[in-house]
Amino acid sequence: GNSVTQMEGPVTLSEEAFLTINCTYTATGYPSLFWYVQYPGEGLQLLLKATKADDKGSNKGFEATYRKETTSFHLEKGSVQVSDSAVYFCALGRRGNMLTFGGGTRLMVKP
Amino acid sequence: DGGITQSPKYLFRKEGQNVTLSCEQNLNHDAMYWYRQDPGQGLRLIYYSQIVNDFQKGDIAEGYSVSREKKESFPLTVTSAQKNPTAFYLCASRARSSYNEQFFGPGTRLTVL
């Protein structure tokens, strides 16, 4: 079946550090891949997406590349800010227009 | 502004009582979804509806019920049969033209005392 595995958090970084949050998936075919972000006490917001192999999604300085050969969609940012502190969810699109989510990774950025 | 509204933000109920969570969207989206989020965990799908007057069970539907009488509204009832109802509940919607991209509401935190 479909599944998404994310690195466990929390990930704690200093401001301006480089961020990588790993995400790997198991799926049949070539699903669309997503990163969502959840700020404290709020719902999820779509951060970026990629719909086919080798696509790079990007938004607000975050990037992720759809790697078919390694079934991965790692999230990266060159210089994090305190305001990036949140929980990040990797997700894949499955049949029936539904999403399968990873467990989430909490990012804490210290000034 | 278009968006998804969930109310209330915080809800408290006594054990054994049914409770209904509201979800309204003015995005003209056809599909709507309910998820449950537990602390430190990902989202799990409870119910979804692709079109008015039709809905399907998700991965953890036991103890929950829904209705979809209007395109804009998809209320979720947490019944007394749900063994562990305390959680954060998220509603989402999707446009017909969007393959998987879902838009989320702000969530309702339900606490059963």
Side-chain angles (χ1 to χ4, degrees):
Chain A
N2 297 324
S3 66
V4 178
T5 302
Q6 294 180 233
M7 60 189 294
E8 288 194 20
V11 174
T12 303
L13 296 173
S14 297
E15 208 165 21
E16 299 184 1
F18 185 87
L19 169 70
T20 299
I21 299 179
N22 290 339
C23 171
T24 57
Y25 67 89
T26 302
T28 54
Y30 303 106
S32 295
L33 299 173
F34 304 83
W35 276 102
Y36 280 85
V37 58
Q38 183 180 35
Y39 297 101
E42 298 183 9
L44 276 66
Q45 301 175 24
L46 179 65
L47 182 59
L48 54 84
K49 65 180 181 182
T51 58
K52 60 183 187 297
D54 300 325
D55 265 2
K56 177 185 283 188
S58 61
N59 185 26
K60 299 179 182 179
F62 291 90
E63 292 183 340
T65 301
Y66 190 141
R67 301 288 188 196
K68 183 182 64 174
E69 61 277 10
T70 55
T71 61
S72 64
F73 192 54
H74 304 322
L75 182 68
E76 298 180 335
K77 187 176 185 183
S79 176
V80 293
Q81 306 300 314
V82 173
S83 58
D84 293 326
S85 298
V87 180
Y88 293 82
F89 291 94
C90 185
L92 65 81
R94 52 174 164 151
R95 188 174 298 177
N97 296 315
M98 291 184 285
L99 293 171
T100 295
F101 287 88
T105 303
R106 180 177 299 279
L107 171 65
M108 299 172 60
V109 181
K110 297 184 176 179
Chain B
D1 289 337
I4 301 176
T5 303
Q6 291 187 244
S7 60
K9 190 169 179 64
Y10 299 97
L11 191 55
F12 297 89
R13 279 296 182 270
K14 293 183 178 179
E15 193 171 348
Q17 290 182 335
N18 291 353
V19 59
T20 298
L21 281 59
S22 167
C23 177
E24 303 279 333
Q25 54 99 0
N26 60 5
L27 300 167
N28 199 34
H29 286 175
D30 289 294
M32 298 186 74
Y33 305 81
W34 273 106
Y35 293 91
R36 170 184 173 134
Q37 184 180 20
D38 292 287
Q41 298 188 29
L43 279 67
R44 293 183 289 170
L45 181 65
I46 304 172
Y47 267 97
Y48 63 101
S49 168
Q50 304 277 28
I51 196 168
V52 176
N53 292 323
D54 185 53
F55 49 83
Q56 305 295 329
K57 292 182 179 180
D59 302 316
I60 56 165
E62 185 175 353
Y64 299 97
S65 66
V66 294
S67 63
R68 187 81 188 280
E69 297 177 1
K70 298 186 300 181
K71 188 175 185 178
E72 304 79 20
S73 179
F74 191 41
L76 173 74
T77 297
V78 184
T79 75
S80 56
Q82 167 52 232
K83 295 179 181 178
N84 186 19
T86 295
F88 190 50
Y89 290 88
L90 288 159
C91 179
S93 69
R94 179 185 59 81
R96 182 185 301 182
S97 59
S98 169
Y99 179 50
N100 285 118
E101 184 176 335
Q102 295 179 17
F103 293 84
F104 284 79
T108 292
R109 185 166 299 280
L110 172 65
T111 302
V112 175
L113 306 173

